[in-house]
Amino acid sequence: MKKRKIVIQGVEGCFHHLAANAYYGEDVEIIPAGNFATLVELIQDESVCDGGIMAIENSIAGSILQNYGLLQDSGLVIEGEIFLRIKQNLMALPGQKIEDLKEVHSHPMAIHQCRAFFHDHPNIKLVEMEDTALSAKNVRNNQLMGVGAIAGDYPAELYGLEIIAEEIESIKDNQTRFFVLKRKKDVVPNGGYNKASLYFSTSHKPGSLSYILDCFAKENINLSKIQSLPIPGINWQYFFHVDLEFQGPRQFRNALDKISDYTKGMQVLGTYNKGIVIT
């Protein structure tokens, strides 16, 4: 069977890679993208891949705001979601101890998640890099003595580094949520979905947003996420990205019918099954 080609942001071994394996299994071909805009462009090109994985929010750092805008304009569809428990480890070339390290490299979010650990090691300089796994790869490829990296378990194994300290993140139940993205024509209809993502702006009728939220409540729909973002070119007006959880599609369709007159530019980004947490 031909391997699925899946685009991720980052390099082999990163958390996007783990999320791809969690959703599709390990028999996938990973296509790295240097940033999220490139990730979207690659997924749009059917000659490149079968789909992609995009981080959308972290339970500590919050939403990745740029990705909401990228999704809105992409024409891509959310097919599913994955919640990945994020475990951050301090690693270095074999034989080194934490006392040998002068610098530690990693993604800014990983550094933020582990900053409390380094309060006890003030002589270590924290250096921001574009990716956790790339930091580990860079240490190995350049044989950087005295330099460590913050990354997950997989990069240590993949790049031959030793873990000096395990799970150094401040909050242990740290999760990142990922969207599984596909081109619209490649999505297989899912008649039993129980979650949906959509965006809209509200009409100019007074109380429009309040009415919309009330409609969701009356249909027994859980509003699990609401994120406001500015409408480009229109000062002080916003569109809303919402994630909804429900028992079945009928509840969702009923709610959309009720709110249609109170929204503008509404687009359903995807209907899918609620994701599970991968530890």
Side-chain angles (χ1 to χ4, degrees):
M1 184 177 177
K2 186 179 178 181
K3 283 188 176 183
R4 290 188 179 92
K5 296 181 178 180
I6 304 300
V7 181
I8 63 168
Q9 190 276 317
V11 301
E12 188 178 7
C14 69
F15 291 113
H16 275 79
H17 188 173
L18 294 180
N21 286 347
Y23 190 82
Y24 289 107
E26 295 187 4
D27 192 24
V28 296
E29 179 181 340
I30 294 299
I31 300 172
N35 55 58
F36 287 115
T38 301
L39 178 143
V40 168
E41 291 173 2
L42 290 174
I43 300 172
Q44 290 168 331
D45 188 344
E46 61 183 301
S47 69
V48 172
C49 69
D50 299 300
I53 302 287
M54 173 189 274
I56 196 67
E57 61 180 325
N58 177 265
S59 58
I60 297 175
S63 299
I64 306 174
L65 295 180
Q66 64 162 322
N67 288 357
Y68 289 98
L70 288 171
L71 280 178
Q72 181 181 349
D73 299 328
S74 70
L76 299 175
V77 174
I78 301 168
E79 182 191 58
E81 66 178 358
I82 288 288
F83 294 87
L84 188 66
R85 160 82 192 282
I86 303 299
K87 302 175 184 178
Q88 304 285 14
N89 307 306
L90 176 62
M91 59 194 67
L93 291 171
Q96 295 193 91
K97 299 179 180 179
I98 195 167
E99 294 81 9
D100 301 320
L101 302 183
K102 302 294 189 295
E103 292 184 0
V104 169
H105 299 177
S106 197
H107 187 277
M109 187 178 293
I111 290 174
H112 171 71
Q113 293 165 354
C114 304
R115 197 170 293 278
F117 174 84
F118 290 99
H119 286 169
D120 295 331
H121 306 281
N123 295 327
I124 295 178
K125 180 181 179 181
L126 300 175
V127 179
E128 295 184 355
M129 300 277 285
E130 60 189 89
D131 185 74
T132 54
L134 183 61
S135 302
K137 184 178 181 180
N138 185 56
V139 169
R140 193 283 309 271
N141 285 356
N142 294 291
Q143 291 295 295
L144 299 179
M145 302 298 291
V147 177
I150 302 170
D153 298 340
Y154 191 23
E157 175 186 343
L158 195 62
Y159 300 119
L161 301 181
E162 284 187 355
I163 293 178
I164 296 174
E166 294 182 323
E167 297 189 27
I168 63 172
E169 68 274 7
S170 300
I171 299 175
K172 299 308 176 185
D173 189 19
N174 174 21
Q175 298 176 20
T176 294
R177 180 183 177 217
F178 298 83
F179 281 148
V180 180
L181 302 177
K182 280 192 173 180
R183 295 173 293 274
K184 187 174 183 179
K185 71 180 187 64
D186 295 330
V187 174
V188 178
N190 173 7
Y193 59 87
N194 57 17
K195 192 168 183 178
S197 296
L198 62 149
Y199 74 84
F200 56 82
S201 60
T202 58
S203 68
H204 291 298
K205 298 177 182 179
S208 291
L209 182 58
S210 176
Y211 174 82
I212 291 167
L213 299 181
D214 188 53
C215 285
F216 292 147
K218 287 180 177 178
E219 288 294 334
N220 199 29
I221 291 176
N222 178 37
L223 184 69
S224 60
K225 173 79 175 183
I226 181 167
Q227 180 71 55
S228 65
L229 293 100
I231 299 175
I234 306 177
N235 291 340
W236 315 123
Q237 291 193 33
Y238 300 85
F239 72 85
F240 299 92
H241 174 107
V242 298
D243 295 325
L244 307 171
E245 298 176 1
F246 37 83
Q247 293 298 314
R250 178 175 293 183
Q251 289 171 280
F252 177 59
R253 292 194 294 267
N254 288 345
L256 291 192
D257 289 341
K258 291 178 181 179
I259 68 175
S260 60
D261 290 340
Y262 289 79
T263 63
K264 295 190 299 182
M266 184 170 66
Q267 179 178 331
V268 177
L269 295 172
T271 55
Y272 49 95
N273 293 330
K274 184 178 178 181
I276 60 174
V277 178
I278 306 298
T279 58

